[in-house]
Amino acid sequence: MVAEKIHSKEALYQVLESICDPEIPVVSIREMGILRDIILHENACEIIITPTYSGCPAMGIIEKDIIAAVQATGIADVKVTTVYSPAWTTDWMSTETREKLRKFGIAAPLHSHCVNWLQPERQLVICPRCNSGRTKLVSRFGSTACKALYTCSDCH
């Protein structure tokens, strides 16, 4: 059964709100700032997305999820365009999204300008479990290229 065709940009945003980040299932692609724009045409639409980093392996899954969700609304012609400029930034996430990430165990930087890529060991990272600022850089690279690893001196 095909759903009634969606004709507004905001209605499509609501549909796409149901797509979770495949690596962080507690937040949607819209909450993460991956979903950048929707362009509606007469019988088609284009969805603009930006990866959290240029080599993100989840983008193929996200694209397939977007196409399936939009096609389920009755729009058959769906194009997903990935843009890299401007580059994704944690500034695109809301306070509520940051709190969801914290509860999931991820400490997102407060603002992109807080990140010192040349000296990440000098960056203040708050522990998502105990809220301590006594954290120490363990590795600049975690399980994926966009994740640095820190340890907390208080709760370990």
Side-chain angles (χ1 to χ4, degrees):
M1 183 168 81
V2 176
E4 183 179 327
K5 191 169 179 181
I6 304 257
H7 293 284
S8 78
K9 194 172 178 174
E10 189 51 45
L12 272 179
Y13 271 118
Q14 293 302 315
V15 166
L16 297 176
E17 183 72 37
S18 68
I19 299 174
C20 292
D21 183 312
E23 296 178 313
I24 313 170
V26 297
V27 292
S28 72
I29 61 170
R30 187 175 186 186
E31 290 173 302
M32 282 297 292
I34 295 169
L35 178 59
R36 301 301 303 146
D37 198 7
I38 296 172
I39 302 167
L40 289 174
H41 304 287
E42 181 139 347
N43 294 312
C45 74
E46 181 178 10
I47 310 297
I48 311 298
I49 57 176
T50 297
T52 56
Y53 74 101
S54 61
C56 179
M59 295 311 289
I61 295 167
I62 291 171
E63 182 174 339
K64 287 177 185 175
D65 289 347
I66 288 170
I67 291 169
V70 173
Q71 286 179 339
T73 71
I75 300 173
D77 189 2
V78 183
K79 178 182 178 185
V80 177
T81 302
T82 302
V83 296
Y84 298 95
S85 181
W88 180 87
T89 170
T90 55
D91 292 342
W92 295 349
M93 295 186 309
S94 69
T95 303
E96 294 80 17
T97 301
R98 291 174 196 284
E99 179 60 15
K100 286 181 180 182
L101 291 173
R102 186 195 66 76
K103 288 179 178 177
F104 190 66
I106 296 173
L110 293 177
H111 301 286
S112 62
H113 66 271
C114 295
V115 178
N116 182 343
W117 294 112
L118 297 175
Q119 295 180 313
E121 64 279 355
R122 299 180 113 192
Q123 177 182 331
L124 176 64
V125 174
I126 304 298
C127 176
R129 294 208 164 65
C130 73
N131 293 318
S132 171
R134 293 179 6 110
T135 57
K136 177 181 165 190
L137 178 69
V138 174
S139 172
R140 287 184 187 204
F141 306 99
S143 59
T144 62
C146 61
K147 297 176 186 171
L149 296 176
Y150 289 80
T151 186
C152 177
S153 298
D154 290 336
C155 72
H156 305 283

